[in-house]
Amino acid sequence: MKIVKFSYMYLFFSYILFYIFANGLTQAIKWSSIFFLLIILLFCVKEGIPRKDMPGINSWIFLFFFNILCLITSMGAIDFNSSIKTLVGLNLYFVIYYLGAYKIGVSKNEIVAFNNIIIIISLLFIFYAFFNNPSLTNSQFHTYFYERIRVFGTFIHPNYLGGLCFVNLIASFINWRLVDSKKRWYVFSIILFACFLVLSDSRGGLYSFLIFLAVFYFQQVIFKIRGSLLKVSIIVISAGMLIGLVSLLYNFLDAIIGNRQLINSFTSGRIDNWDYILHNFILGDKFQFFFGHGLSSVQQLVSLKVNTDNGFLVMLYEIGLFSSILIIFLLIYLLIRNLVNNNWSIFGIPVFCSYITYTFFENFLLNFGHIVPFYCWSLLFIGLFKSSKEQ
């Protein structure tokens, strides 16, 4: 298992290194870490996976139709080669998530160790990024970044720091709840990463972590209530109230106040960007609406300086409606498996809700080259292993 831990250490190191030194070399290091992890995971399961933990027929059906649809998408893609390479990469990532979850989820100690790896490496990089160039960090306190003061040290973008802090807040919180000793260390790390998240002014990261906490403690209340019917009733009523509140809030700001720009500003201009992409690049062509522009074609929008901070919208742009429906079914399947997993649902459901929230603010749904989707998908796949895992 030590070699698996080293593989994850190398991978997280390469991911964060790219956030500070983004160039061809660090990109190559990141890809090498992914292949290295895949090889190690395959080697560790060379004796086979127990039959009860093997992927079911539904998983193979999903992969078959997803690959067929994405091949059709690639044939009409802006860049056929990039689309095919990305499709191969997505399949490799799914294998990594499955095998990694099988190894990580073996016990709570392995989950704690997995989280410790990312916490320690992240702290080292964050301290380097902030104290390697104190004058830059200090000047950021007085600099407007898109009309906001955002402090992010030598990270390339404040949202990279925000995403890293979001992941580490969840990792620290999970470990704080799992361990029986050294809890103060995780309280300290939670406070520290929360401070850096506030400095980065990453609204998506902040909102999403608050969702994680809200769902986690809501579950705590639900678990203490006896009676399945009462639990379901409370969940349904709470969900209805939440949807109603969001609807009223939107209508109040948009219709009563008549100031849609207020919501747009609150989401850092994302609402206008979403409308622009949807009406100008997705709905105008039937083939592209149903099959997309091709995997990795979002770079075309980036080259046009169009903000793409919505993972679901980028997914619809790249792979179209049909493949997007398959991914949504996969997410629903993971949600259900995490929900019925008595050992993991206490963490799996909050991770799912916070990750989906974050995906609405950043291109983090299928963009596995970032640390947020990699970490969250890895945790969600743990929910697939119910009967054989001892927590």
Side-chain angles (χ1 to χ4, degrees):
M1 193 63 189
K2 288 184 178 179
I3 188 65
V4 175
K5 292 178 182 177
F6 175 79
S7 302
Y8 276 109
M9 187 182 303
Y10 177 37
L11 182 136
F12 288 133
F13 174 87
S14 68
Y15 267 54
I16 305 172
L17 181 68
F18 183 77
Y19 284 168
I20 298 178
F21 305 101
N23 53 49
L25 176 61
T26 54
Q27 181 78 306
I29 292 174
K30 184 169 71 170
W31 280 112
S32 70
S33 71
I34 295 168
F35 283 107
F36 181 70
L37 175 60
L38 176 62
I39 292 171
I40 294 301
L41 288 174
L42 289 172
F43 177 79
C44 289
V45 297
K46 64 180 183 299
E47 297 179 357
I49 298 176
R51 188 177 184 86
K52 61 183 177 181
D53 290 324
M54 288 292 291
I57 186 65
N58 293 335
S59 301
W60 298 112
I61 291 175
F62 163 80
L63 286 175
F64 174 78
F65 282 104
F66 179 73
N67 279 276
I68 291 297
L69 287 173
C70 285
L71 282 173
I72 296 174
T73 295
S74 299
M75 291 177 184
I78 299 172
D79 187 336
F80 175 80
N81 291 332
S82 294
S83 186
I84 291 296
K85 289 177 182 177
T86 304
L87 178 58
V88 173
L90 288 177
N91 282 277
L92 295 180
Y93 269 113
F94 285 135
V95 174
I96 288 175
Y97 294 147
Y98 190 86
L99 297 180
Y102 176 74
K103 301 298 291 185
I104 297 168
V106 69
S107 70
K108 73 175 185 179
N109 292 332
E110 297 299 337
I111 295 173
V112 169
F114 173 74
N115 284 332
N116 281 340
I117 291 172
I118 189 170
I119 292 171
I120 294 172
I121 293 177
S122 298
L123 284 175
L124 293 175
F125 271 105
I126 286 177
F127 279 119
Y128 170 82
F130 274 79
F131 299 107
N132 173 55
N133 192 340
S135 59
L136 172 62
T137 300
N138 184 62
S139 68
Q140 289 170 349
F141 278 103
H142 309 283
T143 303
Y144 278 104
F145 190 97
Y146 295 116
E147 300 183 354
R148 294 151 59 192
I149 297 177
R150 310 186 69 179
V151 184
F152 50 101
T154 56
F155 279 86
I156 294 175
H157 194 282
N159 285 342
Y160 288 172
L161 173 61
L164 186 63
C165 290
F166 165 79
V167 164
N168 280 278
L169 282 169
I170 291 180
S172 299
F173 185 88
I174 290 176
N175 281 12
W176 174 63
R177 298 290 303 193
L178 287 179
V179 299
D180 298 320
S181 60
K182 299 182 180 179
K183 285 182 175 288
R184 292 182 180 179
W185 152 250
Y186 296 112
V187 172
F188 170 75
S189 65
I190 289 172
I191 295 173
L192 195 62
F193 285 117
C195 290
F196 284 113
L197 178 59
V198 171
L199 286 175
S200 73
D201 194 25
S202 173
R203 296 173 181 175
L206 179 60
Y207 301 157
S208 302
F209 182 63
L210 292 177
I211 291 293
F212 174 87
L213 292 178
V215 174
F216 177 85
Y217 285 107
F218 178 74
Q219 281 189 132
Q220 293 286 83
V221 174
I222 293 297
F223 288 158
K224 293 179 180 179
I225 298 174
R226 295 182 179 180
S228 300
L229 181 60
L230 181 58
K231 288 182 180 180
V232 172
S233 299
I234 293 176
I235 293 174
V236 171
I237 293 173
S238 299
M241 291 177 63
L242 179 61
I243 295 172
L245 180 62
V246 172
S247 178
L248 286 173
L249 180 62
Y250 182 87
N251 289 324
F252 177 74
L253 293 175
D254 193 21
I256 298 178
I257 295 180
N259 186 10
R260 184 176 183 276
Q261 188 60 34
L262 184 60
I263 305 177
N264 192 52
S265 298
F266 186 70
T267 57
S268 304
R270 286 174 169 82
I271 300 295
D272 283 347
N273 288 324
W274 300 344
D275 285 345
Y276 180 74
I277 294 173
L278 185 64
H279 290 95
N280 289 276
F281 297 98
I282 297 177
L283 298 180
D285 186 286
K286 289 185 178 180
F287 178 84
Q288 292 174 343
F289 174 67
F290 288 113
F291 293 100
H293 295 72
L295 289 159
S296 293
S297 59
V298 69
Q299 294 301 321
Q300 298 294 324
L301 295 180
V302 174
S303 65
L304 296 174
K305 301 185 183 300
V306 177
N307 193 309
T308 57
D309 290 337
N310 186 313
F312 288 98
L313 195 63
V314 169
M315 177 178 68
L316 185 61
Y317 173 83
E318 287 193 342
I319 62 178
L321 180 64
F322 292 146
S323 297
S324 296
I325 291 174
L326 287 179
I327 294 296
I328 291 173
F329 277 137
L330 174 61
L331 289 171
I332 294 173
Y333 174 71
L334 288 173
L335 173 62
I336 294 172
R337 290 298 298 267
N338 278 269
L339 188 63
V340 300
N341 188 330
N342 295 328
N343 294 324
W344 184 244
S345 62
I346 188 65
F347 298 119
I349 300 306
V351 168
F352 180 89
C353 294
S354 60
Y355 174 55
I356 293 301
T357 301
Y358 211 161
T359 297
F360 275 104
F361 292 96
E362 298 292 345
N363 179 20
F364 280 160
L365 188 57
L366 296 178
N367 197 355
F368 298 149
H370 283 284
I371 201 165
V372 170
F374 183 89
Y375 179 78
C376 290
W377 279 86
S378 296
L379 293 191
L380 291 177
F381 266 67
I382 292 177
L384 297 178
F385 302 98
K386 178 182 179 182
S387 58
S388 65
K389 303 306 175 186
E390 178 185 351
Q391 300 296 337

